């Protein structure tokens, strides 16, 4: 239960179909709370499944530097994790350097080694940079855990690396190597064959209409 000393800072605009995300000051700890408790029943029930799944993913990644830790939540509609500080790459004013991207590559490789594929690393809000300039990753709701078969796992990891390279190119194009540019071109061509952007926009629009 929330205590009287709690302060609540929203991290993102509330949506009908998405969770409410806030930073909670619960001395002596600070946590990020992602909750569906106030949503309409269909979203609330689906949200409880997402919370269970994301909790499982965090359990698979437990102990990795750069990954938040789960903390006890108030209900099954809520996921609470440790607050990593700093900011995300969408909102930060910090100009990230080569050391950041090198450490980020190692972090992504580490989650892949644990059998987890993030699948939403095109979104700069899922990358964090703490007060010391170190990277961290958040929001594993759309992630999968698939250590076997290795060939399928490796193919899916390519999606993460394409997302990583797109973010790197956007923020620091001067750091993108010739090989990385080539890989981006191949990845973009393959993604258009798999799911054209217009199809993805149509799917998202349909979901929003259903949940309104």
């Amino acid at each position: 239960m929330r205590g009287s000393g709690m302060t609540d800072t929203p991290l993102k605009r509330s949506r009908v179909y998405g969770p409410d995300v806030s930073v909670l000051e619960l001395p002596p700890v600070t946590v990020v709370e992602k909750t569906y408790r106030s949503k309409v029943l269909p979203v609330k029930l689906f949200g409880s499944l997402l919370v269970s799944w994301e909790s499982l993913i965090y359990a698979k990644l437990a102990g990795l530097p750069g990954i938040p830790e789960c903390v006890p939540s108030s209900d099954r509609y809520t996921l609470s994790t440790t607050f990593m500080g700093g900011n995300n790459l969408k909102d930060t004013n910090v100009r990230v350097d080569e050391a950041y991207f090198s450490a980020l590559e190692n972090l992504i490789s580490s989650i892949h080694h644990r059998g987890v594929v993030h699948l939403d690393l095109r979104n700069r809000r899922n990358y964090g940079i703490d007060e010391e300039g170190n990277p961290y990753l958040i929001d594993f709701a759309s992630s999968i855990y698939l250590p076997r078969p290795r060939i399928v796992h490796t193919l899916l990891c390519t999606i993460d690396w394409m997302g990583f390279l797109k973010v790197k190119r956007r923020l620091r194009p001067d750091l993108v190597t010739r090989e990385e540019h080539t890989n981006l071109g191949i990845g973009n061509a393959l993604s258009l064959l798999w799911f054209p952007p217009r199809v993805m926009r149509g799917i998202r629009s349909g979901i929003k209409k259903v949940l309104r």
Side-chain angles (χ1 to χ4, degrees):
M1 181 175 294
R2 298 182 175 189
S4 59
M6 183 201 74
T7 59
D8 187 337
T9 305
L11 281 184
K12 61 188 297 186
R13 183 166 60 91
S14 180
R15 298 177 183 272
V16 172
Y17 55 86
D20 297 321
V21 184
S22 301
V23 173
L24 306 183
E25 296 287 349
L26 299 170
V29 298
T30 304
V31 302
V32 176
E33 181 186 83
K34 179 191 290 187
T35 183
Y36 295 85
R37 71 168 69 92
S38 64
K39 303 301 177 180
V40 296
L41 186 59
V43 176
K44 188 174 182 178
L45 294 176
F46 184 64
S48 68
L49 297 178
L50 291 178
V51 166
S52 296
W53 178 250
E54 192 168 5
S55 297
L56 172 65
I57 296 296
Y58 276 117
K60 298 296 182 183
L61 301 177
L64 276 182
I67 302 295
E69 296 180 6
C70 280
V71 297
S73 299
S74 57
D75 53 63
R76 66 190 180 96
Y77 308 107
T78 302
L79 176 74
S80 297
T81 56
T82 53
F83 179 55
M84 304 292 282
N87 211 335
N88 63 67
L89 292 190
K90 176 70 173 179
D91 300 325
T92 186
N93 293 321
V94 176
R95 188 170 187 263
V96 288
D97 57 17
E98 188 171 5
Y100 174 89
F101 283 111
S102 178
L104 185 56
E105 284 189 66
N106 291 333
L107 177 55
I108 295 172
S109 294
S110 295
I111 72 169
H112 289 168
H113 184 71
R114 295 279 185 99
V116 173
V117 187
H118 192 286
L119 293 180
D120 193 18
L121 291 185
R122 293 180 301 171
N123 187 346
R124 284 179 286 158
R125 287 191 173 91
N126 292 336
Y127 298 88
I129 178 169
D130 66 19
E131 284 84 354
E132 288 73 42
N134 300 311
Y136 60 90
L137 295 173
I138 60 171
D139 198 353
F140 289 85
S142 60
S143 302
I144 62 170
Y145 175 67
L146 185 70
R148 297 288 187 275
R150 291 302 301 178
I151 187 170
V152 177
H153 175 78
T154 300
L155 287 172
L156 290 173
C157 287
T158 303
I159 298 173
D160 280 358
W161 289 120
M162 288 301 102
F164 163 79
L165 288 177
K166 288 178 180 179
V167 169
K168 184 177 180 180
R169 181 178 61 184
R170 184 179 183 90
L171 296 181
R172 290 298 305 269
D174 56 307
L175 297 179
V176 179
T177 66
R178 179 175 299 180
E179 180 182 1
E180 289 173 336
H181 275 297
T182 300
N183 290 338
L184 274 169
I186 295 172
N188 287 336
L190 291 176
S191 65
L192 289 175
L193 292 174
W194 180 41
F195 253 139
R198 184 176 296 178
V199 174
M200 292 304 296
R201 287 196 295 269
I203 292 173
R204 294 191 189 102
S205 177
I207 292 173
K208 291 178 183 179
K209 289 178 180 178
V210 169
L211 294 177
R212 280 174 182 169

